[in-house]
Amino acid sequence: VSDVKNPFKGKDRKLRSEEHGAESWDKVDPKWFRDYCSPIAMAIDNADAIRESGICLFIDVGTGDCLISIDAVELLHRYLWYLRIPHDYHLVLDANHVGSS
């Protein structure tokens, strides 16, 4: 989606707080975090561009995710639904974040 901000374009994708003028993540600028790290905020801020792009979004999460991201992914799904951004959402029983599951 060309209209959506991409902080990683042509850059190493590592996200370290020091690279963003902060000694720790709790000191990172909230505007920067909203613009470049929060997929929910990105969806809210760019809903029209995302819908118009025709991009196919696929989101899946396992109930056994070791990063405990299930709640965040469920919230993202609900925002995409509310914003009428087409997407596939799959909740996979017992699947982990890594590995063969």
Side-chain angles (χ1 to χ4, degrees):
V1 181
S2 60
D3 294 343
V4 177
K5 299 171 189 171
N6 182 354
F8 304 114
K9 195 171 188 174
K11 296 181 183 175
D12 182 1
R13 292 190 61 136
K14 292 179 191 168
L15 280 175
R16 294 192 306 254
S17 60
E18 316 85 63
E19 293 175 353
H20 307 290
E23 59 197 40
S24 62
W25 278 111
D26 62 326
K27 308 262 191 236
V28 170
D29 174 38
K31 181 177 178 349
W32 179 87
F33 186 84
R34 179 182 179 83
D35 289 347
Y36 298 112
C37 293
S38 171
I40 293 171
M42 289 178 192
I44 292 168
D45 296 346
N46 299 285
D48 290 336
I50 295 168
R51 280 192 300 271
E52 291 168 9
S53 75
I55 192 170
C56 297
L57 299 175
F58 179 86
I59 302 166
D60 68 342
V61 65
T63 60
D65 192 312
C66 63
L67 299 178
I68 315 170
S69 61
I70 190 170
D71 293 335
V73 175
E74 177 69 21
L75 184 61
L76 173 60
H77 161 63
R78 289 172 185 237
Y79 267 94
L80 293 174
W81 180 265
Y82 174 77
L83 295 166
R84 300 297 186 245
I85 294 174
H87 63 286
D88 282 328
Y89 172 67
H90 298 265
L91 180 62
V92 184
L93 184 63
D94 293 330
N96 199 341
H97 194 84
V98 297
S100 60
S101 65

